[in-house]
Amino acid sequence: MSILEHTIRWKDRDNTRIPYALYVDPKTRDREQERIFRGPVWNYLCLEAELPEAGSYRTTFAGETPVVVARDGDGDIYAFENRCAHRGALIALEKSGRAENFQCVYHAWSYSLQGDLTGVAFEKGVKGQGGMPETFCKEEHGPRKLRVANYCGLVFGSFSDDVPDIEDYLGPDICERIERVLHKPVEVIGRFTQALPNNWKLYVENVKDSYHASLLHMFFTTFELNRLSQKGGVIVDETGGHHVSYSMIDKSARDNTYKDQALRSDNDRYRLKDPSVLEGFVEYDDGVTLQILSVFPGFVLQQIQNCLAVRQVLPKGVARTELNWTYLGYTDDTPAQRTVRLKQSNLVGPAGFISMEDGAVGGFVQRGIAGAADLDAVVEMGGGDTGSSEGRATETSVRGFWKAYRGHMGAEA
């Protein structure tokens, strides 16, 4: 039996009752690092556009494991654990840069851009004394290397040899929806790092939860960017772990769905002093104005009007999460289009008109479940299945996440 089964009891088989203990249990956190983030999954690492030339590198994480991603002189991208094979210090200290090789600051052990140990300071000793034994072989030492996959300019890494090829891992529906946004070269136009006071799974659930979006976020409904009564749907892949939620603005289809239920999110008192933040341009021919896509365990690709971004969800403890936002523009944007994207970046992020509530609500849950580790969340909106849906008043993709999660953690799905 797995650690999860020893410590936490699931009360159902269809993922409609989620034990609160999963968000607070230290043993579960340790098991997640082993079975998920260092297991047979593809962890999002960075954008190919962030490694433009030989020697370019970025430091990132796979779960809580520090990772270096670098482009070598052969043009290929490599990823390896950011840990010196000698005493365990970080190899690369900066978030990004350009280097011909890496040298640990502690004892000056050196590494190639592919993560191979290439040099040991005073390997032969000094004046015939000390040094490494003759049996020491540099090829047998070094940080752990990750498999690397590049899909549409998204760089993923995995510690596992058992993870499927990236296209098979994503599946055709998710691949199609990634290609829809990343169909041509992009460049980074902004970044944020956001600290969240909650377990990483609470944020991933929030991303997948199309039910909450127009209830929690008053901006969505006030300015009619997203209402559950609009056309749209939810796509969930076969594993349950990946999803897409999408909608289309239809100003001719106004209704009283929210007003009739006296919901907080139905509010016509607010106006924008500068409404140009919502003045965009038609970018895709399918009419979709909002698409949120997630890849298990912690990657998000968003299109909210003309605001494009990727998000990386990183656990930093049982009740702490780091959320990295990277805003994108196409390399062939006109100056006017780039201005629109920069203005609309105010919609999302730590202080975004739309998403600032997401930075708080996970903490509300984390605080609310203190002392409730023996109880469960109810995830039954839309039934109990994990399939795709033509409506968005459902928690099907949240249940899908738990289906995939239980599969990786070894609990009975």
Side-chain angles (χ1 to χ4, degrees):
M1 297 177 71
S2 71
I3 290 175
L4 181 64
E5 291 174 299
H6 277 305
T7 59
I8 297 172
R9 183 181 182 126
W10 290 79
K11 296 179 182 177
D12 76 326
R13 297 173 62 89
D14 62 2
N15 303 298
T16 61
R17 299 293 184 272
I18 312 304
Y20 286 132
L22 290 169
Y23 309 105
V24 299
D25 178 43
K27 290 183 180 179
T28 296
R29 169 202 176 184
D30 295 341
R31 188 69 166 174
E32 288 170 351
Q33 296 303 312
E34 171 196 348
R35 297 299 300 271
I36 296 178
F37 297 102
R38 292 194 300 272
V41 305
W42 285 109
N43 297 280
Y44 170 74
L45 301 178
C46 67
L47 295 162
E48 182 182 16
E50 296 175 291
L51 305 170
E53 57 185 347
S56 299
Y57 74 88
R58 285 196 67 81
T59 55
T60 183
F61 293 85
E64 295 187 21
T65 304
V67 172
V68 178
V69 192
R71 189 185 291 275
D72 199 7
D74 60 6
D76 290 338
I77 294 173
Y78 298 86
F80 51 93
E81 194 174 11
N82 191 2
R83 175 188 56 82
C84 181
H86 179 216
R87 299 289 295 278
L90 293 172
I91 296 170
L93 303 179
E94 302 297 328
K95 288 186 176 180
S96 64
R98 192 175 183 280
E100 295 183 0
N101 53 52
F102 298 99
Q103 188 175 84
C104 176
V105 297
Y106 198 179
H107 297 93
W109 284 32
S110 300
Y111 300 87
S112 72
L113 293 170
Q114 297 187 21
D116 297 319
L117 176 61
T118 56
V120 174
F122 301 121
E123 182 178 2
K124 302 300 182 182
V126 179
K127 296 183 179 181
Q129 295 183 333
M132 301 296 287
E134 291 185 4
T135 56
F136 180 78
C137 177
K138 289 192 286 291
E139 289 77 12
E140 295 177 359
H141 296 271
R144 289 175 292 186
K145 296 184 179 182
L146 288 76
R147 289 176 60 190
V148 172
N150 185 339
Y151 190 77
C152 289
L154 303 172
V155 180
F156 294 90
S158 179
F159 284 105
S160 173
D161 291 330
D162 297 327
V163 65
D165 290 342
I166 189 64
E167 290 87 353
D168 295 330
Y169 183 80
L170 296 172
D173 290 336
I174 303 301
C175 284
E176 178 183 348
R177 289 288 178 154
I178 291 176
E179 292 171 7
R180 173 184 172 274
V181 176
L182 301 178
H183 61 280
K184 57 182 177 178
V186 297
E187 58 188 5
V188 175
I189 63 173
R191 301 182 193 276
F192 287 103
T193 295
Q194 182 176 5
L196 301 176
N198 52 263
N199 188 273
W200 70 277
K201 298 185 291 295
L202 288 172
Y203 185 78
V204 174
E205 282 185 307
N206 178 275
V207 167
K208 293 174 177 288
D209 178 5
S210 57
Y211 174 41
H212 89 279
S214 62
L215 299 170
L216 176 65
H217 305 306
M218 289 181 63
F219 194 93
F220 262 152
T221 47
T222 298
F223 300 102
E224 300 182 23
L225 299 183
N226 184 9
R227 289 175 173 242
L228 291 179
S229 51
Q230 293 172 343
K231 293 180 180 179
V234 178
I235 300 169
V236 184
D237 82 306
E238 288 186 6
T239 71
H242 322 314
H243 103 292
V244 179
S245 176
Y246 63 95
S247 64
M248 311 173 192
I249 293 177
D250 183 2
K251 294 188 179 294
S252 66
R254 297 196 62 175
D255 58 61
N256 294 320
T257 304
Y258 288 76
K259 187 180 293 294
D260 291 346
Q261 297 192 52
L263 296 175
R264 162 187 169 275
S265 51
D266 184 82
N267 197 313
D268 58 5
R269 290 179 297 169
Y270 299 104
R271 293 290 181 269
L272 288 170
K273 187 173 182 179
D274 180 7
S276 68
V277 71
L278 298 179
E279 294 174 1
F281 54 95
V282 176
E283 194 148 38
Y284 309 102
D285 59 10
D286 57 6
V288 172
T289 51
L290 185 149
Q291 175 181 289
I292 303 296
L293 179 152
S294 69
V295 174
F296 187 90
F299 169 77
V300 182
L301 171 64
Q302 71 157 60
Q303 173 233 333
I304 300 179
Q305 303 216 180
N306 302 115
C307 181
L308 311 178
V310 296
R311 311 176 202 169
Q312 181 188 35
V313 185
L314 296 174
K316 294 296 180 182
V318 172
R320 193 164 67 91
T321 300
E322 184 175 281
L323 179 60
N324 292 322
W325 299 76
T326 305
Y327 297 87
L328 308 177
Y330 296 121
T331 56
D332 64 358
D333 279 348
T334 67
Q337 289 172 332
R338 184 58 55 85
T339 297
V340 168
R341 295 198 202 285
L342 291 171
K343 278 190 175 183
Q344 291 187 1
S345 68
N346 290 289
L347 299 177
V348 295
F353 293 143
I354 293 170
S355 59
M356 60 181 169
E357 294 95 343
D358 289 330
V361 74
F364 296 163
V365 176
Q366 196 76 44
R367 289 155 57 189
I369 63 177
D374 57 335
L375 301 177
D376 307 286
V378 178
V379 186
E380 208 166 356
M381 180 62 64
D385 66 6
T386 59
S388 299
S389 169
E390 294 183 1
R392 290 173 296 125
T394 178
E395 293 167 314
T396 183
S397 49
V398 178
R399 291 187 292 271
F401 169 79
W402 289 109
K403 173 186 173 182
Y405 179 93
R406 294 174 77 171
H408 283 280
M409 292 289 280
E412 186 178 6

